[in-house]
Amino acid sequence: MSDLPKIGIDIGAATIKLVELAPVGRDAWKMVTAASIPTPTGGINSPVAVTAAIVKLLREAGAKSRRVVAALPEDQVSSHVVNMPTLSDDEVKSAIRWQVEQYIPIPADRAVWSYEIVSRDKSSGEMEILLMATSKVLVATYTQILQQAGLEVVALETEMTASARACVPDELTTSMIVDIGAKSTDVGVVSRGQLVFSRTIPVAGDAFTRSIESGLGLDSGVAEQYKSTYGLSQTKLDGKLVEAMKPVLNEISAEIKKTCDFYLTKHPLDTIKLITISGGAAQLVDMVGMLSGLVGIEVAVANPFAKVHLDTNQTRAVASTAVYYCVAAGLAMRRIEP
C-alpha cells in the first residue's frame, strides 16, 4: 500500500475543500495542509472555472503532493446491496458482472462500476456485495478537471465512503452518518467501518435559510446570518427562528428514521446507537440535541481529524471548520495499492 502523501478534494455545491495528509502509520496521518475556496457558479458544469479555482486553492494552501483522490456526488452514484450465494473472491469477479444490468439504472456500456464484499454469512451460505456505478461521462468530467489543474488522479469514490473512513469511530459495529450540505443531505449506514447503504435527500442547509426568509420575512443575507448565529435555539427571537426551521429539520429527521428502519428490517440483529453528523448545518446551535430527540438515537458532530496529528497552528486553524472537511479528509486517508 502506498505511504506517499495524498490530497483529498471535495467539490461541493458551495465550496471546494482540500486536505493533504501524510501517513505516519497504518491508521494515523499527519496534516500537511487544509483549505477551501468558494465553488464557482455552475459547479462542474463550468469546468474551466472549477479548474481555475482548484489551481488557486492548491497554490494558496501550499499543497506539496499532486496525487489526488476526489469525491463523486452521492446523488449521481447508484449503489445497491446484492445478495448472492457465498463465492470465492475470483468467483465474485465473474458473477457480479451479471448483476450490473439488473441493479444499475445506467446502460452497462455507459457506466463505470465497482463492488465491495460487505459480508459472508457462513450459517446462511450467503454474502452481501455493495455494487456501485456512475456514468462514464461524469467520471471523465471530474478526471479532466483535476488533470487540467495539474493533478494525478489516483482514485475517485463517493462522498459518504470517504466521510465514513474519516469520521465513524472504529469501535462501532453499526452506525449512521449524515452529511447536511448546502443543497442536499446524504444519509448512510456504516457497518464494521464500511459504508453499506446510502441515499440522498434534496433538503439541506439552504432549505433552512429559505424557511427563515419566508417565515420571518427577511432577505437571504440576514436569514443566513440568523441561522449561523442562533441556529435552533428556542430562546432567541422569541422562538420564531426555530419554529421557521423546524419543518425542514422534521423532514430530514423523518428521512433518517426511514433509512434506519429500512436497514434494520433487513438486519434485525444489528443496533444503531450513534448518528455522526457533518456539513455546515451540523454546527448549528442545538442541532445535536434537537435531531437526537427527533430520531431517538444519540447524535454527535463528526471530527474528521481524530486520527490526524495536527500541530498547534493547524489545531487552531480548523477548530471551527473541521466538520466541513469530512469528505476531503477521508479521501486523503484512502489507501492506494502501489
Side-chain angles (χ1 to χ4, degrees):
M1 300 224 177
S2 173
D3 60 356
L4 295 174
K6 293 189 303 300
I7 295 170
I9 287 186
D10 171 22
I11 304 174
T15 56
I16 301 172
K17 278 80 66 178
L18 174 153
V19 171
E20 183 178 5
L21 301 178
V24 291
R26 175 158 183 84
D27 293 306
W29 290 263
K30 179 177 68 175
M31 169 80 80
V32 178
T33 188
S36 66
I37 195 170
T39 303
T41 302
I44 64 163
N45 294 319
S46 303
V48 174
V50 172
T51 296
I54 292 174
V55 170
K56 181 180 180 182
L57 180 59
L58 290 165
R59 183 176 64 250
E60 292 180 349
K64 295 178 173 59
S65 176
R66 284 300 179 265
R67 303 168 73 244
V68 67
V69 181
L72 297 173
E74 202 72 29
D75 62 353
Q76 295 189 51
V77 178
S78 177
S79 61
H80 293 272
V81 175
V82 180
N83 293 91
M84 298 175 63
T86 299
L87 302 171
S88 68
D89 290 354
D90 287 340
E91 289 172 329
V92 170
K93 288 180 182 179
S94 300
I96 197 66
R97 294 180 180 275
W98 299 100
Q99 308 293 327
V100 175
E101 291 189 3
Q102 179 179 352
Y103 289 98
I104 300 301
I106 307 170
D109 61 341
R110 300 180 188 174
V112 177
W113 56 273
S114 64
Y115 68 90
E116 293 182 18
I117 297 173
V118 175
S119 65
R120 285 186 172 95
D121 189 334
K122 293 181 180 179
S123 61
S124 67
E126 290 191 344
M127 63 191 302
E128 287 186 331
I129 297 172
L130 179 63
L131 179 62
M132 296 168 286
T134 192
S135 74
K136 289 181 178 178
V137 171
L138 183 69
V139 170
T141 298
Y142 270 77
T143 301
Q144 184 177 29
I145 287 172
L146 295 164
Q147 288 178 340
Q148 290 186 347
L151 297 169
E152 175 194 355
V153 182
V154 295
L156 297 171
E157 65 179 8
T158 70
E159 296 165 338
M160 294 298 276
T161 298
S163 289
R165 183 181 297 118
C167 302
V168 174
D170 293 335
E171 65 271 16
L172 293 178
T173 302
T174 307
S175 67
M176 295 184 72
I177 186 163
V178 176
D179 179 25
I180 310 173
K183 305 294 184 184
S184 62
T185 296
D186 296 325
V187 182
V189 178
V190 181
S191 178
R192 297 166 184 84
Q194 185 174 37
L195 183 73
V196 295
F197 180 78
S198 66
R199 58 192 295 257
T200 299
I201 306 164
V203 179
D206 288 353
F208 283 118
T209 304
R210 290 194 299 271
S211 70
I212 296 171
E213 288 180 54
S214 59
L216 277 67
L218 303 173
D219 64 41
S220 60
V222 175
E224 181 67 30
Q225 183 179 359
Y226 277 16
K227 180 187 76 173
S228 300
T229 303
Y230 302 125
L232 293 156
S233 172
Q234 301 189 55
T235 63
K236 302 299 181 181
L237 302 178
D238 298 322
K240 293 179 182 178
L241 193 65
V242 70
E243 286 304 312
M245 298 170 69
K246 199 175 269 186
V248 177
L249 185 61
N250 287 342
E251 186 173 353
I252 292 173
S253 62
E255 295 299 329
I256 292 172
K257 287 198 288 185
K258 284 182 186 177
T259 304
C260 180
D261 292 344
F262 174 80
Y263 178 81
L264 293 178
T265 297
K266 292 194 169 188
H267 302 83
L269 298 180
D270 284 356
T271 303
I272 294 175
K273 295 183 178 180
L274 178 68
I275 297 172
T276 302
I277 59 173
S278 61
Q283 295 193 113
L284 294 181
V285 175
D286 289 346
M287 169 61 82
V288 167
M290 289 200 68
L291 185 58
S292 179
L294 288 168
V295 299
I297 300 173
E298 181 184 353
V299 174
V301 176
N303 177 12
F305 300 121
K307 304 172 186 177
V308 180
H309 298 287
L310 308 176
D311 64 28
T312 302
N313 290 335
Q314 291 169 340
T315 300
R316 189 181 302 115
V318 302
S320 62
T321 59
V323 73
Y324 292 95
Y325 289 100
C326 291
V327 173
L331 293 167
M333 290 177 184
R334 173 166 171 154
R335 298 282 173 174
I336 303 297
E337 295 290 346

